[in-house]
Amino acid sequence: MMSDAAVFFLCVCVTTFSGVFSDTDEVKSVSVTEGDSVSLNTDVQVQRGDQILWTFGPQNTRIAEIFKRDQMNYVFVSNDGIFRDRLQMDNQTGSLTIRNIRSEHTGLYKLYVISSRKTLKRFNVTVYAPLPIPVISSHSLNCSSSSSSSSSSSLRSSESRCSLVCSVWNVSDVTLSWYAGISVLSSISVCDLSISLSLPLDVEYQDNNTYSCVINNPVRNQTTHLDITELCHTCEELVQPSHWVGKSVSLVILAVLVVAAIIFLRTKSKPGTQKGKYYFFHQRYEHSGFIQ
């Protein structure tokens, strides 16, 4: 019975939906991240005799339809191709939900509604790739010693600023930006997806501003906050740890040598001690007459 009704419904749709529909030329834009679910709402309540049809793409491929007859809603959703096991239709409103949406589901969706009048609505759905997390790194300081005053002056100048770079793998329709608080300092966007995004930034070592690197698209963003104390170090800070490490190693070596010397001396003294004891007892027995 259900299959017969569905076949009848599809035949009716072929003739009825070819009429003239009122169209406001308005296209509703819908943005979603790959892997999420999205609902395209009809904003109607299906009444007796109403018909609803969803199509997708330039070929107007039928993907879902609903028809109400004798208090029963007959629903069809496509289970083929790119929409397999992804479509769900509300049998009261005709709203369409796409689960676990993928990039191939990007495109134009049309909603045909036949009730007391014919209505056409359009939804332009754009599916964006998940955003990667930006990585902030710093350039190493050249802390080699120099005798010239000009080189020392240049070194002190370079120590006063910290050179950073924020990098991330490029995905479609994204912008990479440096922020100081809520103010944008610089941004970059590249269409070539084979090129990774990188954005430099120089900050004062004693800077108290809050910096962050943000990648965003029309749907969402990913943010990495800068920790200046972790990434930015002066030459003095870089030299001091190695200085203390050198001292510690020297102390450990000295302690090992002292312990080795003590062990050596104690081992050396044992044979002499035993020999002295033997000579003492030998003399005693010799005087007592036990040894002739």
Side-chain angles (χ1 to χ4, degrees):
M1 178 66 183
M2 184 67 175
S3 59
D4 294 340
V7 171
F8 171 75
F9 163 58
L10 293 175
C11 294
V12 171
C13 287
V14 170
T15 56
T16 307
F17 277 77
S18 61
V20 178
F21 290 81
S22 61
D23 185 5
T24 61
D25 291 330
E26 179 184 357
V27 179
K28 184 177 181 180
S29 297
V30 179
S31 299
V32 61
T33 299
E34 191 172 358
D36 290 347
S37 297
V38 62
S39 293
L40 308 179
N41 298 318
T42 62
D43 298 323
V44 299
Q45 192 72 25
V46 179
Q47 303 297 326
R48 181 177 180 179
D50 288 354
Q51 300 178 34
I52 292 178
L53 169 67
W54 284 98
T55 67
F56 169 72
Q59 304 301 323
N60 285 331
T61 303
R62 295 168 182 259
I63 58 173
E65 34 197 343
I66 187 171
F67 174 76
K68 186 165 186 175
R69 173 179 288 274
D70 298 330
Q71 304 302 317
M72 291 186 63
N73 289 351
Y74 299 98
V75 179
F76 162 80
V77 292
S78 175
N79 198 30
D80 297 321
I82 63 174
F83 291 102
R84 178 178 294 275
D85 299 326
R86 299 181 190 275
L87 296 180
Q88 182 177 348
M89 196 174 186
D90 190 316
N91 64 359
Q92 300 299 319
T93 65
S95 295
L96 184 68
T97 298
I98 309 170
R99 302 186 300 266
N100 191 20
I101 198 166
R102 316 305 296 178
S103 59
E104 57 264 31
H105 301 130
T106 292
L108 183 64
Y109 293 76
K110 292 182 181 179
L111 167 66
Y112 299 87
V113 180
I114 295 181
S115 54
S116 57
R117 62 188 182 92
K118 299 175 182 180
T119 305
L120 170 63
K121 294 183 178 182
R122 292 177 293 180
F123 300 81
N124 188 30
V125 176
T126 304
V127 183
Y128 293 93
L131 292 177
I133 299 176
V135 176
I136 302 175
S137 57
S138 61
H139 295 297
S140 300
L141 283 173
N142 182 11
C143 295
S144 59
S145 59
S146 175
S147 58
S148 64
S149 59
S150 60
S151 298
S152 300
S153 175
S154 175
L155 180 59
R156 286 193 298 270
S157 176
S158 64
E159 284 188 37
S160 65
R161 299 185 67 82
C162 181
S163 295
L164 304 160
V165 62
C166 179
S167 56
V168 71
W169 289 108
N170 192 18
V171 292
S172 60
D173 299 315
V174 297
T175 300
L176 184 67
S177 306
W178 272 112
Y179 281 80
I182 60 174
S183 302
V184 179
L185 299 178
S186 58
S187 298
I188 187 174
S189 181
V190 179
C191 296
D192 188 353
L193 300 183
S194 65
I195 301 175
S196 62
L197 298 177
S198 60
L199 200 59
L201 177 68
D202 284 349
V203 297
E204 294 289 340
Y205 176 72
Q206 301 296 337
D207 200 330
N208 293 323
N209 285 327
T210 302
Y211 292 94
S212 57
C213 185
V214 181
I215 184 173
N216 69 282
N217 61 20
V219 182
R220 60 186 59 177
N221 62 67
Q222 287 277 18
T223 301
T224 299
H225 297 284
L226 170 63
D227 187 346
I228 293 180
T229 59
E230 180 180 349
L231 292 178
C232 298
H233 301 282
T234 64
C235 285
E236 290 182 358
E237 290 176 326
L238 294 175
V239 170
Q240 284 178 358
S242 61
H243 175 70
W244 284 110
V245 168
K247 277 193 172 183
S248 300
V249 172
S250 299
L251 290 174
V252 170
I253 293 175
L254 180 60
V256 170
L257 291 175
V258 170
V259 172
I262 293 173
I263 294 174
F264 176 77
L265 292 174
R266 292 185 64 181
T267 305
K268 196 73 175 174
S269 64
K270 284 184 178 181
T273 304
Q274 294 295 331
K275 184 177 180 180
K277 286 183 179 180
Y278 173 77
Y279 177 79
F280 172 75
F281 283 107
H282 179 76
Q283 292 295 325
R284 289 188 58 186
Y285 281 109
E286 201 173 60
H287 288 293
S288 62
F290 287 100
I291 299 177
Q292 300 298 327

